[in-house]
Amino acid sequence: MKLLVAKLHQTVNVIGFEDMEPSTLSHLQALGIYPGGELVVLENALGGVVCKVKDSRLALDHDVADSILVEERL
């Protein structure tokens, strides 16, 4: 599923990216968003998603969140 549709307070694992500029991908990876990484969805609104990555909160706009593929952590 896409990060944009993940439920509030859901912990997810990043499995990949689709249709993303290489510079955006590099920036996300530098922030700790990479395949195998874990995110917690804190807020999900029409404008984007706020998630917890390690000990930081990151706000991702709609287009970026729509390009991050995740799966629910079991």
Side-chain angles (χ1 to χ4, degrees):
M1 76 177 139
K2 295 183 178 193
L3 179 59
L4 193 60
V5 299
K7 297 176 185 172
L8 288 178
H9 308 293
Q10 184 175 28
T11 301
V12 297
N13 290 325
V14 177
I15 58 172
F17 305 92
E18 64 178 28
D19 301 325
M20 189 173 287
E21 294 290 327
S23 60
T24 303
L25 180 58
S26 294
H27 184 68
L28 289 176
Q29 290 174 336
L31 294 171
I33 300 176
Y34 48 82
E38 182 178 286
L39 307 174
V40 178
V41 178
L42 301 176
E43 295 180 40
N44 194 339
L46 294 175
V49 174
V50 176
C51 56
K52 180 180 176 190
V53 180
K54 298 182 182 179
D55 293 327
S56 300
R57 290 170 52 113
L58 296 175
L60 304 171
D61 74 15
H62 179 275
D63 293 336
V64 171
D66 194 45
S67 297
I68 299 173
L69 303 174
V70 298
E71 62 184 2
E72 186 174 357
R73 184 173 151 233
L74 303 176

